[in-house]
Amino acid sequence: MVRRAATGMLIAAVLAVAVYIVVFGGPFGPAAPENGGEPAAAANPASFARMEYEPASYRVVAENSKLELHVNDAGHIRVFDKPGGRFVWQSDPDTSKERDLRGIWKSNADSPFLLDYADSSKQTTGVLIQTANLSDAKTKTTVEPAAGGANITFDLQTLGIEFKTEIRLKDDYVEVTIPDSGIVEKTAKQVVSIWPFPFFGAAQKGDIEQDGYMLVPLEMGAIVPMKQEHQLLSRVSAKLYGSDRAIPGQPGSNSIIPAFGMKRDSHSFVAIVEEGEYTSTVHATPAGLYTSYHWIAPQFVYRNEYFRQTSKLGAGYKTVEKTRTADNRRIRYYFQSGDQADYAGMAADYRNYLIESEGMNRIKPVSEALPLLLTLYGGAEEKGLFSPRFVPATTFSQGGDILQGLHRAGIGPIHVLYAGWSAGGDRSVLPEVSPAEKELGGNQGLTAFIREAQRLGDRVYLQADYTRSRQNDSFVVSRDAMKDINNKAPFSKWLGENEYVNPAAVALRLFGEQVGKYEALGIDGLSFTGLESVYSDYRASHRASRADAVADYRKLLALAKERLGSAGTSEGSGYLLGSTDFIQRLPLGASYDLVATKSVPFLPVAIHGLVDYSGGWGNMRETGTSERLRSIEFGALPQYLLTYEDPVTLRKTSGEFILSSKYDEWKETIATEYKRWNEALGPVRSVFITDHRELAPGVFETRYENGTSIVVNYNDTPYAGKGVSVLAQNFAVYSGLGG
């Protein structure tokens, strides 16, 4: 009996251990410590005393002729802007001003960080993400002097999490870095995200005397006013570079700029996310939501939250990734004052950053005339009775006729972007480079068109999309298709075929295999679409982060420029700046956000003179004159999409989005618009924008460094004032305007 009892107890013990391993030490359990011992037990909150810090314990850790950096014992920072009259930007707002601020948001506002975490021991049943701050995590802060600043270690004692923040004062900016090597997870609690200095620059409405706003990275730039009352109490959350398609259900936004900022009267700052931008979200929170402060901050995400599907019927649970993204996070803060304290001044600092860090240089025009970007649409397939039928819209011979006609009208040089040129036309079986569509003239017709265009002084770019594929000799779905976090290969359908997402590494490989075919055609370069979106890849043998994907995109563009001479892209994502020769269809319109109610040309101001860009197609404008004026206001090249045939023939193809494009119907309008466009922007193509301001409701001035000013009037009545006069819905060019 004793032996049986002992045996039974032994079996029970073994089963208990097995259950523990399955539940707590499986693929979502806490990682074993490096010494090979057992995972540390969760900290007992009662075993730690709350740390008390003296708010006035600030000391200077670095200074130069422009800035002075202070740190206190709690890990808060203050930056004194000397040119701005020693205006202080601080991470610790004076919460005594808000008597009703209590509880969690009082401790959040008093904290130099917010940290979101999850309990890994509960990942097999779903996790609850919680937020900790300096106070409730009973954090022990250690500040150590370092060359040019300080190193701050935050030990969240109740969670068993520790991380470091490095603060450095550079020549004209403050750098904040969270090194990946400084993050330590001692227990089952895992870091999901960190918000460094979330209330840096936070201001109440009463702190703003004249003008104030938060600059958010939506579209080309947008602002959240801080002086007016907000009718809708919600925050702007801009995931940098949009959602990751490999994380199903991840919210996204049209965010193409890794920067944000704040203006407070005659003082402002712009923050540029230099590392970790592909896993970051910028949150702008207006006063009245949570607190009486306006505050804007980055959230560095280390583990994606996602729905883990456990059955084909859709069952599953919400969890976070087991593995932490192993990247450093780094952000730069530049400060402006006086006349430079606005979004134009912020953009100037971003421009300097692009020149310094991305190697961008001023454009060197080869012609005094402004280039016209012209998209020619070859054709596309529509569903046929037995097989798809090709519908031609612009043959290569007709394309030559269009170029000759435009040149006779005084237009040129022309940069042609030929879409729908290969076998099957638009949405063909690219990225396998097939011969040019025979109904357009085949390879012989294409090369004849290229020679004719170059004889006229034009450039020819073929349009290509290497971010999607169908099964073919070069692309094997099981091997090459991008896998999402649930190990599925996302796809869409077109004309009965599955179309898959290409990982960036596969796009690079395919282009490398095929670039010689483009080279043989004698083109001037490629115009790539699709690179404006960047995704992770969860293929077991080829795991890649968004940062890895961007590195491959840049290699692809470098190869195209090396072999073909030039390469352009669409929509202007910040990670491609410095790698692209031109940008087509840069978003120049409104952000349509209910909180960020006003769009501003932050990105155009920053990049004008460094790279050519256009707005939308001139013949596809939704608001006609207003969109043309907007392109001129923001220094964009003219761009049109033309077909030789009536686009009605494309209504059952992928070209159904083209509503009006027939060359004969648009040639006179294009000639008229191009002439005025060229007169206004031709002389300033390589000139930096120094200021942009609203002279009156609906009237805007863009000022260039050579003294040129372009004033645009969107109103239905003429404008006269401040030394200028502009007709209704028109623009005028001036030189040497003062004030």
Side-chain angles (χ1 to χ4, degrees):
M1 293 292 293
V2 172
R3 183 176 296 175
R4 284 182 185 172
T7 302
M9 292 174 63
L10 179 60
I11 293 172
V14 170
L15 288 174
V17 171
V19 169
Y20 178 87
I21 292 173
V22 169
V23 175
F24 296 101
F28 289 93
E34 293 182 0
N35 61 13
E38 292 297 321
N44 178 6
S47 65
F48 299 106
R50 187 178 299 277
M51 305 294 295
E52 299 294 339
Y53 298 99
E54 173 53 54
S57 58
Y58 278 98
R59 55 191 177 277
V60 180
V61 295
E63 68 174 308
N64 57 30
S65 61
K66 299 177 182 178
L67 303 171
E68 193 172 283
L69 177 61
H70 297 219
V71 179
N72 76 355
D73 291 343
H76 276 292
I77 63 171
R78 290 182 178 178
V79 180
F80 289 81
D81 181 4
K82 293 181 179 180
R86 290 187 62 79
F87 181 83
V88 60
W89 293 94
Q90 59 193 73
S91 64
D92 56 334
D94 184 359
T95 53
S96 65
K97 291 182 179 180
E98 187 178 350
R99 296 180 180 179
D100 295 331
L101 186 62
R102 300 184 181 91
I104 185 65
W105 278 105
K106 170 67 165 63
S107 56
N108 282 347
D110 285 335
S111 179
F113 66 85
L114 298 177
L115 185 143
D116 300 318
Y117 67 94
D119 189 336
S120 64
S121 67
K122 299 178 181 178
Q123 287 203 16
T124 55
T125 57
V127 300
L128 174 66
I129 297 176
Q130 297 177 280
T131 302
N133 57 45
L134 182 86
S135 176
D136 62 28
K138 298 181 180 178
T139 305
K140 179 181 179 181
T141 303
T142 304
V143 180
E144 299 175 314
N151 296 332
I152 307 171
T153 300
F154 297 108
D155 183 0
L156 287 68
Q157 298 179 99
T158 62
L159 301 182
I161 293 175
E162 181 180 298
F163 73 95
K164 294 182 179 179
T165 303
E166 299 172 352
I167 315 296
R168 298 291 185 270
L169 176 61
K170 305 294 184 177
D171 288 342
D172 56 353
Y173 62 91
V174 170
E175 182 181 85
V176 176
T177 304
I178 301 178
D180 179 69
S181 60
I183 299 176
V184 181
E185 297 167 326
K186 307 172 188 176
T187 68
K189 302 297 191 295
Q190 295 182 325
V191 176
V192 175
S193 61
I194 297 175
W195 308 50
F197 307 116
F199 282 81
F200 184 77
Q204 293 178 310
K205 188 178 73 170
D207 295 332
I208 310 299
E209 296 180 1
Q210 297 177 345
D211 186 26
Y213 51 75
M214 294 180 284
L215 173 73
V216 295
L218 295 177
E219 301 281 355
M220 64 176 180
I223 59 176
V224 179
M226 300 199 310
K227 186 69 175 174
Q228 300 93 323
E229 294 286 349
H230 286 268
Q231 299 301 316
L232 183 67
L233 287 180
S234 62
R235 66 164 36 139
V236 176
S237 294
K239 174 150 181 58
L240 299 186
Y241 302 128
S243 60
D244 186 342
R245 192 170 178 180
I247 312 294
Q250 184 181 77
S253 56
N254 195 354
S255 177
I256 61 177
I257 312 164
F260 61 93
M262 177 180 284
K263 171 180 169 61
R264 294 175 55 177
D265 294 324
S266 59
H267 308 279
S268 66
F269 74 80
V270 63
I272 302 169
V273 184
E274 187 174 18
E275 286 189 68
E277 65 268 42
Y278 309 110
T279 53
S280 298
T281 299
V282 171
H283 300 277
T285 308
L289 181 67
Y290 310 130
T291 73
S292 64
Y293 294 96
H294 298 283
W295 53 287
I296 185 167
Q299 177 190 17
F300 294 142
V301 178
Y302 291 86
R303 288 179 169 90
N304 284 297
E305 182 181 10
Y306 72 102
F307 183 80
R308 189 181 188 205
Q309 191 171 332
T310 57
S311 78
K312 293 182 179 180
L313 298 178
Y317 53 88
K318 186 174 287 189
T319 186
V320 296
E321 291 180 278
K322 174 187 175 184
T323 305
R324 188 179 76 236
T325 303
D327 294 321
N328 295 332
R329 269 56 172 186
R330 180 173 288 114
I331 188 168
R332 294 186 181 191
Y333 290 86
Y334 292 88
F335 303 90
Q336 305 82 33
S337 60
D339 293 341
Q340 294 298 306
D342 56 17
Y343 56 81
M346 299 179 200
D349 277 323
Y350 184 47
R351 178 199 303 133
N352 293 335
Y353 168 80
L354 292 172
I355 294 172
E356 171 200 336
S357 300
E358 299 297 333
M360 298 188 73
N361 296 301
R362 194 185 293 264
I363 295 170
K364 295 180 180 179
V366 296
S367 169
E368 294 182 359
L370 199 67
L372 170 72
L373 292 187
L374 176 64
T375 299
L376 291 179
Y377 194 88
E381 289 181 331
E382 68 177 11
K383 189 175 182 179
L385 183 60
F386 300 106
S387 62
R389 182 181 74 87
F390 184 77
V391 180
T394 311
T395 68
F396 301 130
S397 175
Q398 291 169 340
D401 292 342
I402 290 174
L403 293 188
Q404 292 177 12
L406 293 176
H407 276 281
R408 286 194 296 270
I411 297 173
I414 300 173
H415 292 180
V416 180
L417 317 179
Y418 223 119
W421 60 272
S422 63
D426 190 20
R427 294 181 71 93
S428 65
V429 195
L430 281 172
E432 184 177 51
V433 181
S434 53
E437 170 58 46
K438 63 180 181 180
E439 291 196 38
L440 299 179
N443 275 7
Q444 185 175 354
L446 176 58
T447 54
F449 169 79
I450 293 168
R451 286 195 299 268
E452 173 64 10
Q454 293 171 342
R455 184 189 68 80
L456 294 170
D458 299 332
R459 299 174 66 86
V460 177
Y461 299 85
L462 298 181
Q463 192 156 291
D465 185 350
Y466 274 81
T467 64
R468 53 192 174 89
S469 289
R470 303 177 197 174
Q471 177 82 38
N472 57 53
D473 292 341
S474 301
F475 183 88
V476 179
V477 173
S478 60
R479 179 192 67 196
D480 297 325
M482 184 200 82
K483 293 290 183 66
D484 67 17
I485 199 168
N486 284 314
N487 199 37
K488 292 187 174 182
F491 66 90
S492 56
K493 280 189 174 291
W494 178 251
L495 294 179
E497 291 188 81
N498 292 343
E499 193 171 85
Y500 295 88
V501 180
N502 274 355
V506 172
L508 176 60
R509 172 180 65 80
L510 292 172
F511 180 66
E513 294 170 356
Q514 299 160 8
V515 64
K517 295 181 180 179
Y518 291 112
E519 204 170 21
L521 293 171
I523 58 175
D524 296 285
L526 286 177
S527 177
F528 292 95
T529 60
L531 303 187
E532 63 274 7
S533 298
V534 59
Y535 311 124
S536 304
D537 182 19
Y538 286 85
R539 288 179 298 161
S541 58
H542 296 85
R543 285 288 297 268
S545 66
R546 295 177 96 193
D548 296 329
V550 167
D552 284 332
Y553 282 170
R554 288 175 171 169
K555 291 177 184 176
L556 186 152
L557 291 170
L559 179 60
K561 291 198 282 188
E562 175 189 344
R563 297 285 295 275
L564 306 175
S566 187
T569 54
S570 301
E571 300 189 21
S573 288
Y575 53 79
L576 298 179
L577 296 175
S579 298
T580 185
D581 292 316
F582 63 86
I583 302 165
Q584 61 160 320
R585 294 181 286 112
L586 187 74
L588 300 179
S591 68
Y592 300 108
D593 188 88
L594 297 177
V595 179
T597 54
K598 183 178 180 180
S599 293
V600 295
F602 174 85
L603 186 57
V605 172
I607 65 175
H608 190 275
L610 295 177
V611 63
D612 285 326
Y613 54 89
S614 73
W617 292 301
N619 55 300
M620 305 280 281
R621 303 175 189 135
E622 293 182 3
T623 55
T625 301
S626 294
E627 290 189 35
R628 177 174 61 87
L629 291 177
R630 191 175 299 120
S631 287
I632 293 170
E633 178 190 354
F634 300 150
L637 299 183
Q639 181 173 8
Y640 300 86
L641 184 154
L642 294 180
T643 56
Y644 196 85
E645 306 294 346
D646 193 320
V648 69
T649 61
L650 299 169
R651 66 186 184 279
K652 294 182 180 180
T653 75
S654 56
E656 62 183 355
F657 69 97
I658 305 173
L659 302 178
S660 178
S661 61
K662 190 175 182 180
Y663 166 65
D664 281 344
E665 296 174 356
W666 277 96
K667 58 184 178 182
E668 293 182 5
T669 298
I670 294 174
T672 301
E673 292 185 351
Y674 173 81
K675 182 179 179 181
R676 290 206 65 207
W677 213 309
N678 183 49
E679 290 172 351
L681 294 181
V684 296
R685 180 184 172 196
S686 62
V687 180
F688 294 158
I689 295 174
T690 57
D691 198 12
H692 179 270
R693 58 179 178 162
E694 188 172 12
L695 301 181
V699 182
F700 297 87
E701 178 192 0
T702 303
R703 187 169 295 186
Y704 292 83
E705 62 180 339
N706 66 351
T708 298
S709 289
I710 296 178
V711 182
V712 175
N713 178 14
Y714 291 94
N715 299 314
D716 294 329
T717 56
Y719 169 79
K722 299 185 180 181
V724 302
S725 60
V726 189
L727 297 175
Q729 295 192 24
N730 215 314
F731 69 91
V733 181
Y734 290 88
S735 179
L737 289 180

